[in-house]
Amino acid sequence: MILVTGGAGFIGANFVLDWLKQYDEPVINYDKLTYAGNLNNLKDLQQDARHVFVQGDINDGATLSALLDKYQPRAILHFAAESHVDRSILGPAAFVTTNINGTFSLLEATRAYWQNLAEPEKAAFRFLHVSTDEVYGTLSAEDPPFSETTAYAPNSPYSASKAASDHLVRAYHHTYGLPTLTTNCSNNYGAYHFPEKLIPLIITNARAGKDLPVYGDGQQVRDWLYVTDHCAAIRRVLADGRLGETYNVGGWNEQSNLSVVHTLCDLLDQLQPKATGSYRDQIKHVKDRPGHDRRYAIDARKIEKELGWKPAETFETGLRKTVEWYLANDEWVNQVQSGEYLKWVDLQYKNGAEVVA
Ligand code: NAD
Ligand code: DAU
């Protein structure tokens, strides 16, 4: 079996659902269930004996060690993290606690478990660390995309904490020989995406008749990848990635934020038209994010060449599927937009990001 951390969050839940569609190999899903973790994402697995959910913190080394001894996984896939850049600006401590200290405590529990495994289990074991392109910092319009040899230059407390976790994983491979793999992926979108992030926030605000907040001039660029394409990339790296290596994962799909928001409005205009006017009328330019990275772009040639991975979805097909998923899942949206979420929206958009245009 495999052990997944953070498997109740956006990408982790998509990964677990996808994994169990492809294979019969069971999954231990270890998640603290922070505001971002949601068991409703895993509702389809309620009766599925191949999925074992354990609520817990990656900082709790004793529980992790007991779980590893009990279930003897052949691999750990580490998704658990604090993941929202804006939250890291307003409250960086949780990012250091989970992303740095938590990854350290998971690595320590893993090392102790792995060192005591018998051959060939020890040789076959894998620790796959799920990371982000944000560790490379920001690009200008003329720069080539990030490759695996681009120097780390994180700019936000979130990306700095992820960079630190990547370095710890690297060190555990080089120092102890732990069989690690790291993926650095660009912006994901798709089903179960928490509506504090741009794409689900725009869809849910548009439908609720609220402002569509675009930071600054909206010309910041992100490289968007449909979440199940990211899941497929992780499966390929787990199966055949070279030990100690990092693999950049991206969609060759650079879009400015304003263009993403326009496309979402146009899709909603088609799929759920307003009584009058367009959803574009709700767009509001608001104060920019402090230290906002201007452009991310991923050079994904290494994973394509070595592992034969390529995204299956285009931005057009992926975004349409995403909007359709949100239109069909009001219950999920209503459930996640509860107390804690409303407090965040109030803090970020009323005090932090007043309208500038
Ligand atoms: P998310 O915020 O939606 O989910 C994170 C999950 O981790 C939640 O279920 C949460 O409960 C859990 N968690 C948080 N702290 C924990 C702790 N201390 N112990 C155990 N569980 C804890 O995040 P996501 O968007 O699904 O991202 C998953 C991973 O992928 C993260 O490591 C993130 O850095 C990385 N990543 C995300 C993107 C993206 O676009 N979302 C892109 C590249 C990489
Ligand atoms: O690049 C990978 C990263 O992508 C992941 O590591 C992070 O976990 C994930 O959250 C994401 O980070 P971003 O900061 O790029 O995503 P977010 O959806 O928060 O913002 C996308 C862009 O949209 C960014 O330039 C900021 C802008 N934005 C965001 C929000 C929430 C707005 O203009 N308005 C908004 O209200």
Side-chain angles (χ1 to χ4, degrees):
M1 62 174 57
I2 60 167
L3 187 144
V4 164
T5 71
F10 163 49
I11 303 174
N14 273 287
F15 181 84
V16 171
L17 291 165
D18 240 41
W19 178 271
L20 292 172
K21 269 188 208 143
Q22 318 273 340
Y23 313 119
D24 267 335
E25 186 176 15
V27 178
I28 310 299
N29 186 347
Y30 187 73
D31 194 298
K32 184 177 174 183
L33 296 181
T34 67
Y35 78 92
N38 183 357
L39 286 178
N40 278 337
N41 298 354
L42 301 159
K43 229 158 113 186
D44 292 353
L45 301 176
Q46 257 166 5
Q47 306 302 325
D48 194 326
R50 299 170 303 165
H51 178 240
V52 179
F53 182 81
V54 180
Q55 185 171 5
D57 191 326
I58 52 169
N59 280 290
D60 179 354
T63 300
L64 282 170
S65 294
L67 265 187
L68 293 174
D69 287 344
K70 178 171 176 192
Y71 290 106
Q72 303 274 304
R74 68 159 178 105
I76 296 175
L77 292 100
H78 179 33
F79 294 85
E82 289 291 337
S83 70
H84 191 32
V85 174
D86 292 322
R87 284 185 191 257
S88 84
I89 294 166
L90 288 180
F95 288 73
V96 172
T97 303
T98 285
N99 300 357
I100 306 180
N101 297 343
T103 300
F104 169 67
S105 108
L106 177 64
L107 281 166
E108 275 295 86
T110 305
R111 179 165 75 97
Y113 163 71
W114 170 75
Q115 275 173 343
N116 286 326
L117 286 176
E119 296 293 350
E121 285 79 11
K122 193 172 177 190
F125 183 79
R126 297 288 180 270
F127 182 96
L128 191 151
H129 176 56
V130 180
S131 192
T132 171
D133 60 357
E134 299 201 13
V135 297
Y136 299 118
T138 186
L139 296 168
S140 71
E142 298 76 36
D143 287 328
F146 301 129
S147 77
E148 288 79 0
T149 55
T150 303
Y152 273 35
N155 290 321
S156 71
Y158 163 68
S159 54
S161 67
K162 289 297 290 188
S165 67
D166 292 10
H167 291 325
L168 281 169
V169 172
R170 177 189 163 88
Y172 272 62
H173 175 70
H174 283 269
T175 305
Y176 304 114
L178 190 72
T180 64
L181 299 156
T182 296
T183 53
N184 293 89
C185 188
S186 62
N187 286 63
N188 285 213
Y189 67 98
Y192 305 111
H193 204 182
F194 195 76
E196 66 185 354
K197 308 282 171 66
L198 180 70
I199 287 180
L201 180 88
I202 295 299
I203 299 170
T204 53
N205 275 17
R207 296 185 67 212
K210 295 183 182 162
D211 290 349
L212 308 182
V214 171
Y215 296 164
D217 63 5
Q219 293 309 316
Q220 305 83 4
V221 169
R222 298 290 182 267
D223 176 353
W224 292 96
L225 182 69
Y226 192 62
V227 63
T228 52
D229 280 327
H230 186 191
C231 297
I234 290 170
R235 289 198 304 272
R236 283 299 300 127
V237 173
L238 179 67
D240 288 316
R242 286 184 292 129
L243 296 187
E245 292 288 317
T246 66
Y247 292 88
N248 281 1
V249 185
W252 299 107
N253 174 43
E254 292 183 51
Q255 304 278 339
S256 74
N257 292 339
L258 200 54
S259 152
V260 169
V261 174
H262 283 158
T263 309
L264 286 169
C265 289
D266 298 349
L267 273 168
L268 283 165
D269 284 339
Q270 269 178 40
L271 296 169
Q272 194 179 78
K274 298 198 332 171
T276 52
S278 160
Y279 289 98
R280 287 192 185 209
D281 304 338
Q282 291 166 232
I283 294 173
K284 287 273 181 318
H285 286 265
V286 300
K287 198 174 90 182
D288 209 350
R289 172 185 279 174
H292 200 170
D293 286 337
R294 196 68 182 165
R295 173 177 166 239
Y296 303 143
I298 279 281
D299 177 343
R301 279 176 298 177
K302 179 175 172 181
I303 188 170
E304 286 172 8
K305 276 201 198 121
E306 279 190 23
L307 303 175
W309 172 86
K310 268 203 189 317
E313 298 291 340
T314 63
F315 194 51
E316 207 185 4
T317 59
L319 209 58
R320 181 174 284 272
K321 279 189 185 175
T322 304
V323 172
E324 284 170 348
W325 187 87
Y326 279 87
L327 292 177
N329 285 279
D330 279 337
E331 203 183 313
W332 183 90
V333 172
N334 293 337
Q335 184 262 327
V336 297
Q337 288 184 322
S338 60
E340 202 284 338
Y341 176 76
L342 296 175
K343 271 193 248 155
W344 164 254
V345 169
D346 207 38
L347 192 67
Q348 170 69 0
Y349 294 96
K350 290 225 174 88
N351 306 326
E354 74 267 16
V355 173
V356 293

